[in-house]
Amino acid sequence: MHRDPDNRSQKIPYPALQISQLADANELTIQADAGSILVSRDDITARQALTTIRHLYEVVDSLMEQLVDATKEISSDLGGIHDPLEDVDDDVLDDLLSSGADPDGLRMLLAMEEDDD
């Protein structure tokens, strides 16, 4: 769906309503959160609820895949960035991590100290 943000009157395309079997619904329920909108029948049946749940699982899988890909992409771009943990003695680092230290937290502490220097 393409929309013009300046036009505040939005419509759901009729083919989308047909595919979702909502074209004949008298009342719809809208659940909205930042970045997404779920439109469903107000009187959803058990079978429709199960179908919606299955579809939501597919959406979750797709979003997870996007986030995993994004994290891999961003981490590959970090190749030229200095990792402050590289300066820590391996034995000391191993002991810290085995004692429960969070490596990202340690990186952050060391980076904050570098910024102060």
Side-chain angles (χ1 to χ4, degrees):
M1 175 178 359
H2 297 283
R3 57 180 297 274
D4 178 1
D6 295 331
N7 180 357
R8 295 181 181 251
S9 174
Q10 306 300 310
K11 295 181 181 180
I12 299 172
Y14 191 73
L17 291 171
Q18 288 176 310
I19 291 168
S20 62
Q21 299 176 356
L22 296 175
D24 65 340
N26 290 329
E27 292 186 21
L28 298 173
T29 297
I30 297 175
Q31 299 171 24
D33 201 350
S36 66
I37 299 172
L38 174 64
V39 179
S40 62
R41 290 180 176 277
D42 191 39
D43 57 343
I44 195 166
T45 67
R47 185 170 311 282
Q48 290 167 338
L50 291 170
T51 301
T52 301
I53 291 169
R54 180 191 49 76
H55 178 70
L56 289 173
Y57 279 146
E58 291 171 4
V59 171
V60 167
D61 289 344
S62 173
L63 292 172
M64 292 289 245
E65 186 176 316
Q66 287 178 35
L67 286 172
V68 167
D69 289 346
T71 61
K72 288 179 181 177
E73 182 178 328
I74 195 75
S75 68
S76 68
D77 291 343
L78 297 176
I81 297 175
H82 173 69
D83 183 355
L85 293 185
E86 292 174 1
D87 300 333
V88 178
D89 180 82
D90 288 341
D91 291 332
V92 172
L93 182 58
D94 288 342
D95 287 344
L96 279 169
L97 296 179
S98 66
S99 295
D102 180 73
D104 292 329
L106 186 55
R107 277 186 187 93
M108 192 67 149
L109 288 171
L110 293 170
M112 287 168 43
E113 287 181 11
E114 286 178 1
D115 288 345
D116 288 343
D117 291 342

